[in-house]
Amino acid sequence: MSSCEFESLEKSLESHLPESELREVKRILFGKETQKLDLPECAVEAALEHSFELKGYRFEAAQEQLRPPRRIRVGLVQHRTVLPTDAPVLDQVAAMHSRIGEIVEVAAMCGVNIVCFQETWTMPFAFCTREKEPWTEFAESAEEGNTTRFCQELAKKYNMVVVSPILEREDLHNTLWNTAVVISNSGTVLGKSRKNHIPRIGDFNESTYYMEGDSGHTVFQTQFGKIAVNICYGRHHPLNWFMYSMNGAEIIFNPSATVGALSEPMWPIEARNAAIANHCFTCAINRVGTEHFKSEFTSGDGKKAHHDFGHFYGSSYIAAPDGSRTPGLSRTSDGLLVVDLDLNLNRQISDKWSFKMTGRYAEYAEELTKAVRPDFKPKIVKE
Ligand SMILES: NC(=O)NCCC(=O)O
């Protein structure tokens, strides 16, 4: 079986392990079990009709005496590109809008309050090609672009916060950015969060296209909680997650595009570790499928030129501050993950483990300030 056909770790464990062993393996691998969420029949049928996976889970928190529960529903969407990569740009974008429209309608049936899409969801992940045309034509204004207008309509229609990661063009100087637009459930653009760290690895030649973000670690106060967006490669930077959390993020989304050969063993660990370390929920989202490009490109590794990037392995999941996580969506198909969570869990776990309270941040800040100076001498004791 090729890596593109292997559906998921969870499915494989379930079909090969005896029930009693499976329970222990899951406890150790995934933490406290997330219960399955009952989703409305109409949503299940619509997902079947539109050929995407629909999964729902629920994280529990303790009932407190002084605070009512803060239960909300989050939806993560993963999908493949709809049209071939050489179809006209506007046709490709329209086809993606239409696909997202179908999936978000189901998210609304499931009562989702905040939905987040994958990184640069309106386009193929063409940065591997190093060609500018036609890929830069997918870039749009974060405030006025067609995609933002489309998402504003979804947000208003379904009373849902929409996190829409796109390739952004800032018209004044034609600067491109990799940006998540955050649209409030009222339909207004609440703001945007630009990708802070640009990969310089493998075929992810993204610095050819857009600049390092300048929006810092903005947190957005929505009706359903305080959210932040740490785009893709930023998940390898613990301090990036940390700064969103220092600004008060209760949920940090990580819309991504990454391939199996490169990052799959790291995928289940990084966002989950960030949830644990920062006492918050984290949401890892990856696209699916293999995208083919007309022109061949090389990966600068001495191997032959090729037309595709490798397999984007989906596997989107949500992790909770207690270290538990949902099973992932499939590695191979489009999907919607609906997760019911109580934001009170963040403070409950903080009170239990106290990582924020025990962090020696002033000391780290002082040492870091010295460590980034050119005259820095590492503190090493030698015999
Ligand atoms: N899109 C992106 O930043 N990908 C880089 C590779 C990775 O972080 O796994």
Side-chain angles (χ1 to χ4, degrees), residues 119 125 195 199 201 204 206 232-233 235-236 256-258 262-263:
E119 182 181 19
F125 216 71
K195 184 171 178 174
I201 179 161
F204 292 90
E206 299 171 39
C232 195
Y233 187 73
R235 79 181 176 283
H236 311 302
S256 299
T258 186
L262 181 69
S263 62

Side-chain angles (χ1 to χ4, degrees), residues 274-292:
I276 299 169
N278 297 300
H279 303 314
C280 67
F281 288 90
T282 59
C283 306
I285 308 156
N286 187 21
R287 61 177 61 204
V288 274
T290 305
E291 300 172 1
H292 297 271

Side-chain angles (χ1 to χ4, degrees), residues 14-47:
E14 272 159 20
S15 51
H16 295 292
L17 286 183
E19 193 53 41
S20 59
E21 258 177 63
L22 180 66
R23 213 172 314 118
E24 279 303 280
V25 167
K26 280 190 171 171
R27 181 183 66 78
I28 296 166
L29 263 186
F30 303 133
K32 188 174 158 197
E33 193 175 351
T34 45
Q35 297 304 318
K36 283 212 171 108
L37 195 60
D38 274 337
L39 297 171
E41 200 48 47
C42 59
V44 175
E45 277 166 19

